[in-house]
């Protein structure tokens, strides 16, 4: 039972991250009801796509990342494509997470940016060096704290429920912008092999862990979106219109929520919420990346590279990976949808309707990103 709980917490923590800030800023165009419907659909797609990679692990009978599985079942060409997309997105996310955590540390402790980034690197290296049992317990504590802080933040920003929380007339471009972001906000597929190994290949427990671990973030996202939009609409119609016009930054949004509350402590809770959300997501991404790199490199070298690369990028190239994140959803579709689908089909496995749905959704995400780029 403890292993199941730790697995659910790892999946939950990996899922809940930057989406807490990004989704309300995009959902303002769609309204709460439509956003909730899309999020509910995303629960199924995220769960079903995760099961594709789990099924491949079951065929292989050894916990292996999608990168290694692509080489085993298809060859070097598929391996190269999958590895490139997987590493590009993983290191991009870690780089941005390091930036977010270092900014928060700088705000709390008045450290410089360089010191904050180095603290991130050393902190992640320390976490990844822990024994599996200790690490799982510590990650569960982080996730527990995250849930508590989310609940407190929602409670402290509650309103009387009267406001302009409908999305109005939804524009097609707004939907195109929302779909890739909601997809990346449910990015848990990189820990499939970790969960498979941790739960000893018990597919019943694995399915349950992923279902609960994905369902809980969906509830959090819907509640948080409703809370944020209702708070803004009930307190300042002009600010709400600015949010719809893409004229509000992340910092302004957090500051506005702090000002709307009668609780002076809300600013602390919102900063803590951002910090914990990013840390738990970074840990989940790092675990999946580490497991993949250990298949190619020694354990120590893999740990060092996972922690050093984001530090070096943050210290040398400012904000470059933020541009990569704008099409991160398109990059992720390769190892989340297309490669698992292709490998299962190549192995003669009978594909279900859900797997076909995932494949089609991957095409939709790519088309959305291409439309945004061009």
């Amino acid at each position: 039972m403890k292993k199941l709980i730790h697995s659910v917490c790892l999946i939950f923590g990996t899922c809940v991250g930057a989406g807490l800030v990004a989704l309300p800023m995009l959902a303002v165009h769609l309204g709460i009801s439509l956003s909730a419907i899309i999020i509910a659909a995303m629960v199924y797609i995220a769960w079903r796509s995760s099961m594709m990679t789990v099924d491949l692990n079951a065929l292989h009978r050894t916990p292996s990342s999608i990168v290694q599985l692509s080489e085993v079942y298809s060859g070097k060409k598929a391996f190269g494509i999958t590895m490139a997309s997987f590493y590009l997105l993983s290191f991009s996310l870690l780089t941005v997470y390091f930036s977010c955590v270092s900014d928060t540390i700088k705000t709390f402790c008045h450290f410089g940016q360089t010191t904050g980034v180095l603290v991130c690197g050393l902190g992640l290296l320390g976490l990844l060096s822990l024994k599996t049992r200790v690490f799982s317990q510590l990650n569960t504590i982080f996730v527990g704290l995250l849930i508590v802080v989310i609940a407190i933040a929602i409670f402290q920003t509650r309103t009387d429920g009267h406001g302009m929380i409908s999305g109005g007339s939804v524009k097609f471009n707004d939907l195109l912008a929302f779909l890739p972001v909601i997809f990346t906000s449910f990015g848990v597929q990189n820990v499939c092999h970790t969960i498979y190994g941790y739960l000893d290949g018990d597919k019943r427990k694995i399915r349950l862990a992923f279902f609960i671990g994905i369902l809980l973030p969906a509830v959090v996202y819907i509640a948080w979106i409703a809370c944020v939009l209702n708070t803004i609409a009930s307190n300042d119609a002009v600010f709400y219109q600015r949010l719809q016009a893409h004229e509000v930054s992340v910092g302004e949004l957090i500051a506005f929520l702090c000002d709307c509350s009668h609780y002076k402590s809300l600013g602390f809770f919102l900063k803590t919420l951002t910090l914990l959300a990013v840390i738990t997501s970074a840990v989940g991404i790092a675990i999946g990346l580490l497991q993949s790199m250990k298949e190619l490199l020694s354990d120590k070298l893999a740990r060092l590279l996972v922690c050093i690369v984001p530090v070096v990028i943050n210290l040398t190239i400012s904000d470059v990976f933020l541009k990569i994140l704008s099409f991160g959803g398109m990059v992720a579709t390769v190892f989340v949808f297309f490669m698992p689908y292709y490998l299962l089909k190549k192995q003669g496995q009978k594909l279900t309707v859900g797997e076909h749905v995932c494949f089609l959704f991957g095409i939709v995400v790519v088309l959305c990103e291409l439309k945004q780029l061009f």
Side-chain angles (χ1 to χ4, degrees), residues 172-192:
F172 186 62
N173 285 341
D174 296 333
L175 187 60
L176 292 183
F178 187 76
L179 287 180
V181 174
I182 192 63
F183 164 55
T184 53
S185 296
F186 279 91
V188 297
Q189 293 80 4
N190 66 307
V191 298
C192 288

Side-chain angles (χ1 to χ4, degrees), residues 122-168:
L122 292 173
L124 183 60
L125 182 61
L127 286 173
L128 295 179
S129 299
L130 295 174
K131 293 181 179 180
T132 302
R133 180 180 61 83
V134 176
F135 172 80
S136 297
Q137 292 174 346
L138 187 60
N139 184 69
T140 301
I141 292 172
F142 279 149
V143 172
L145 289 173
L146 174 59
I147 294 173
V148 170
V149 172
I150 289 173
I152 292 173
I154 291 175
F155 174 78
Q156 290 195 351
T157 54
R158 71 192 189 282
T159 63
D160 57 10
H162 299 293
M164 304 175 297
I165 57 175
S166 65

Side-chain angles (χ1 to χ4, degrees), residues 66 81-93 180 183-184 321 323-340 362 365-367 369-370 373:
I66 190 62
I81 294 172
T82 309
M83 182 175 64
S85 61
F86 179 80
Y87 287 167
L88 175 62
L89 184 64
S90 296
F91 278 120
S92 298
L93 289 172
F183 164 55
T184 53
F321 273 87
K323 298 176 181 178
I324 294 177
L325 284 179
S326 67
F327 58 87
M330 182 168 61
V331 175
T333 55
V334 174
F335 60 85
V336 172
F337 296 133
F338 300 141
M339 191 55 65
V365 170
V366 171
L367 292 176
E369 290 287 359
L370 291 175
L373 289 173

